[in-house]
Amino acid sequence: MNEMNGQIEKLNRLKKERNAVILAHYYQDGTIQDVADFLGDSLALAQAAKKTSADVILFCGVHFMAETAKILNPNKTVIIPDMKAGCSLADSAPPEKFREWTLAHPDHTVISYINCSAAVKALSDIICTSANAEKIVMSVPEAIPILFAPDKYLGAHIAKKTGRKLTLWDGSCEVHEQFSEIEVINLMNKYPDALVLAHPECTENLLQYADYIGSTTGIINFAANNNTTNEFIILTEPGVIHHLEKNTKGKTFIPVPGLDGCACNNCPHMKLNTIDKMINALETLQPEIILPEEIRIAALKPLERMLELS
Ligand code: 13P
Ligand code: SF4
């Protein structure tokens, strides 16, 4: 038995002993995706967290995702392999500055993308993900103005799609804004039959080339079900390609490199999680997500509103 198989056996044994469930996002390393009990985008992961009957949730994703699981499950132990697994979008909205922004726009409905801290969720009216942002925005009566945070690119895309005027927070994803437009054009020339599938966190100059724009699950479903071509240029974190290659036959998925060929198309936060850190988390039940109860209760309301509307 090689070393990795031994570690995975240990992980599975600990998981049973702890009555734990492993939830993982598509941007995790392939090995983590393969040991997960449930794999999904941020909407599906929040829905799975709400449903689980396990005592412990080992959340393989970034901090705001694990926090969301804790908001929904105050009586469960929620652990994350590496507490430093953050998100540039969540970091772009410090709660105090965010509070000032909402107070300056008292007549607005506040829609926050799920990529934000629990404290920011607690100051919001409704949460959305990339899978349901359009529906959530459209659920607000037309006469009511909307604040949309923290992703300005997702916000601009949804404003364009819905025709609604959204006042945007100035935040962005450090990964999706690094993709190179020149590389997309080069790949489109090299693979003329390929369809371009993009995540709405990408900048507008990149989204203009997309044949499909959607969440990670949306991209995966589109690529798996589309039979007009066998080639797909993937304009999001390349972690999704592991799942696509495992679950489809005869299709080619082409990742888009970052600016100047850097490896920055990989989310550095997601990639902090490892099998060894997962084992440690199950052994010690640390690092654990702990939330002040008043923040959790305030954050639950807009999150439940989203889940009801989804
Ligand atoms: P999804 O909800 O599409 O999985 O996106 C989460 C995310 O962080 C994308 O960068
Ligand atoms: Fe955050 Fe971007 Fe990483 Fe998604 S890819 S978790 S938005 S930093």
Side-chain angles (χ1 to χ4, degrees):
M1 188 194 310
N2 70 29
E3 203 185 325
M4 184 50 83
N5 286 345
Q7 289 298 81
I8 288 170
E9 209 167 85
K10 189 171 177 184
L11 180 79
N12 285 328
R13 179 174 47 76
L14 283 163
K15 192 177 77 170
K16 236 186 181 159
E17 284 169 15
R18 293 290 194 191
N19 187 25
V21 66
I22 300 176
L23 307 183
H25 188 266
Y26 291 116
Y27 293 167
Q28 293 294 284
D29 267 341
T31 338
I32 297 182
Q33 293 191 33
D34 292 347
V35 297
D37 298 299
F38 185 86
L39 197 55
D41 66 1
S42 30
L43 176 61
L45 288 167
Q47 287 164 331
K50 195 173 155 74
K51 273 194 214 138
T52 185
S53 59
D55 296 319
V56 174
I57 299 175
L58 172 54
F59 208 113
C60 297
V62 290
H63 188 261
F64 77 82
M65 296 179 176
E67 251 188 3
T68 302
K70 184 66 184 178
I71 294 166
L72 295 165
N73 291 286
N75 298 323
K76 293 189 198 302
T77 303
V78 178
I79 48 178
I80 181 168
D82 192 321
M83 198 57 122
K84 291 191 293 299
C87 169
S88 68
L89 270 169
D91 291 346
S92 79
E96 263 324 303
K97 269 181 90 178
F98 187 81
R99 181 196 298 278
E100 284 165 23
W101 191 58
T102 58
L103 290 176
H105 300 84
D107 54 337
H108 286 55
T109 286
V110 183
I111 301 182
S112 292
Y113 187 34
I114 199 163
N115 297 40
C116 64
S117 65
V120 164
K121 286 184 178 74
L123 296 164
S124 308
D125 295 307
I126 323 182
I127 303 304
C128 73
T129 74
S130 53
N132 61 21
E134 188 178 343
K135 197 174 187 179
I136 300 290
V137 165
M138 291 309 283
S139 76
V140 178
E142 204 141 347
I144 300 177
I146 297 173
L147 292 184
F148 189 94
D151 188 352
K152 62 180 170 187
Y153 299 122
L154 172 67
H157 169 66
I158 298 297
K160 200 167 157 187
K161 266 195 109 173
T162 58
R164 297 291 290 268
K165 186 184 172 303
L166 306 180
T167 301
L168 304 177
W169 182 268
D170 186 13
S172 57
C173 163
E174 68 186 273
V175 179
H176 287 83
E177 70 178 358
Q178 286 287 338
F179 288 111
S180 155
E181 184 173 357
I182 299 289
E183 291 289 356
V184 174
I185 296 168
N186 287 345
L187 289 172
M188 287 171 74
N189 288 332
K190 189 168 169 195
Y191 301 92
D193 294 333
L195 292 177
V196 178
L197 315 185
H199 196 280
E201 287 174 11
C202 290
T203 55
E204 200 176 352
N205 64 317
L206 293 176
L207 292 181
Q208 67 174 315
Y209 302 108
D211 297 292
Y212 172 81
I213 300 171
S215 74
T216 50
T217 297
I219 288 174
I220 286 167
N221 289 345
F222 184 95
N225 298 328
N226 184 281
N227 294 319
T228 63
T229 178
N230 286 326
E231 292 172 337
F232 302 89
I233 295 169
I234 302 295
L235 203 32
T236 190
E237 218 272 8
V240 298
I241 294 178
H242 174 78
H243 183 77
L244 279 166
E245 285 180 341
K246 212 171 134 185
N247 292 285
T248 55
K249 286 210 162 41
K251 293 187 177 182
T252 305
F253 306 102
I254 307 129
V256 179
L259 293 167
D260 305 322
C262 68
C264 41
N265 58 354
N266 272 272
C267 175
H269 311 287
M270 290 275 185
K271 294 322 196 242
L272 283 176
N273 295 331
T274 63
I275 296 284
D276 284 348
K277 290 178 191 175
M278 289 167 71
I279 290 174
N280 180 61
L282 282 176
E283 269 171 346
T284 61
L285 294 184
Q286 296 288 334
E288 183 183 359
I289 304 286
I290 308 277
L291 282 173
E293 188 59 2
E294 71 276 12
I295 291 198
R296 189 194 70 78
I297 288 173
L300 181 62
K301 231 170 112 186
L303 202 52
E304 291 212 307
R305 232 175 133 188
M306 171 189 86
L307 292 171
E308 278 156 25
L309 286 164
S310 298

